């Protein structure tokens, strides 16, 4: 059996109360042949990150998905801490090619947003698109010479979207990952 080529970093501060991320996680757990799961809050409840282990996981996979709820128009705090501590100079970036160990890796974002998709428009409630809010992450992906994959998003969690929409989203999420293989 070969190692799954896609690593999914699930970063939800309280996955037990989640609707979307918990459902996506269940779907991912049912497909261990295509993904390696790394649940950051479960793995690091004390938030002391094992940098070398995380770097080794990144090196062992071709595709990396950062899965998280949009948290104050950004990432949950542990994902930001993970990026600060794991994506170090000499590993993720540097002046020499040998210092850019993630060059060529493909990195995607799987995001649950509490608000409706219509609110993520220039004329919407928040006057910016989701991709505009994600620009710091996209810039990081570019900076480490990785390839940025399209965002997979589920909108309107706070509006209590129908369970059939959530089930469809879970199936589409797995297909999104299978298409990376």
């Amino acid at each position: 059996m070969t190692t799954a080529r896609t690593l999914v970093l699930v970063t939800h501060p309280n996955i037990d109360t989640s609707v979307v991320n918990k459902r996506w996680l269940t779907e991912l757990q049912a497909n261990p042949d295509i993904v390696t799961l790394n649940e950051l809050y479960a793995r690091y409840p004390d938030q002391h990150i094992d940098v070398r282990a995380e770097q080794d996981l990144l090196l062992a996979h071709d595709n990396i998905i950062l899965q998280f709820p949009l948290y104050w128009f950004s990432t949950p705090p542990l994902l930001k801490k993970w990026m600060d501590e794991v994506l170090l100079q000499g590993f993720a970036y540097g002046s020499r090619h040998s210092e850019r160990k993630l060059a060529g890796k493909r990195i995607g974002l799987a995001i649950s947003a509490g608000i409706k998709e219509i609110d993520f428009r220039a004329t919407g409630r928040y006057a910016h698109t989701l991709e505009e809010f994600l620009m710091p992450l996209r810039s990081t992906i570019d900076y480490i010479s990785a390839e940025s994959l399209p965002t997979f998003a589920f909108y309107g969690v706070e509006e209590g979207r129908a369970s059939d929409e959530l089930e469809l989203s879970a199936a589409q999420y797995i297909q999104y990952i299978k298409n990376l293989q």
Side-chain angles (χ1 to χ4, degrees):
M1 181 177 185
T2 60
T3 303
R5 292 179 40 208
T6 301
L7 172 66
V8 181
L9 280 79
V10 178
T11 313
H12 193 294
N14 193 353
I15 196 76
D16 292 334
T17 63
S18 168
V19 175
V20 177
N21 282 270
K22 185 177 181 178
R23 178 62 189 98
W24 286 353
L25 177 60
T26 300
E27 196 70 22
L28 293 168
Q29 290 168 332
N31 288 275
D33 54 321
I34 64 167
V35 296
T36 300
L37 291 173
N38 187 11
E39 295 179 64
L40 293 182
Y41 277 94
R43 188 170 182 174
Y44 303 113
D46 60 0
Q47 299 199 13
H48 289 93
I49 296 169
D50 182 341
V51 172
R52 184 65 190 163
E54 294 299 314
Q55 290 175 340
D56 288 345
L57 271 174
L58 293 172
L59 292 173
H61 295 83
D62 300 323
N63 308 307
I64 300 144
I65 305 295
L66 308 178
Q67 176 187 319
F68 59 93
L70 194 64
Y71 208 84
W72 287 108
F73 305 100
S74 186
T75 66
L78 186 56
L79 183 53
K80 174 63 169 101
K81 179 179 173 66
W82 180 92
M83 291 172 62
D84 290 344
E85 293 185 12
V86 174
L87 303 180
L88 299 173
Q89 183 176 11
F91 173 75
Y93 66 97
S95 58
R96 295 186 308 265
H97 181 71
S98 64
E99 296 176 313
R100 293 175 290 178
K101 293 175 175 54
L102 302 179
K105 301 276 184 180
R106 297 166 31 163
I107 302 177
L109 309 171
I111 298 170
S112 61
I115 56 180
K116 296 178 279 191
E117 187 173 6
I118 196 168
D119 291 329
F120 284 106
R121 296 186 183 164
T123 57
R125 182 175 175 189
Y126 298 105
H128 297 283
T129 66
L130 179 61
E131 287 303 319
E132 289 173 324
F133 284 113
L134 299 175
M135 192 54 64
L137 294 170
R138 295 288 180 206
S139 296
T140 299
I141 293 167
D142 289 344
Y143 191 74
I144 64 173
S145 303
E147 177 187 339
S148 192
L149 296 170
T151 299
F152 185 86
F154 186 91
Y155 298 91
V157 176
E158 292 174 0
E159 277 74 35
R161 293 187 49 193
S163 63
D164 57 332
E165 290 180 73
L166 181 57
E167 290 305 309
L168 177 60
S169 173
Q172 290 171 334
Y173 184 32
I174 289 300
Q175 190 58 53
Y176 168 85
I177 291 172
K178 284 180 178 178
N179 289 342
L180 300 176
Q181 307 299 318

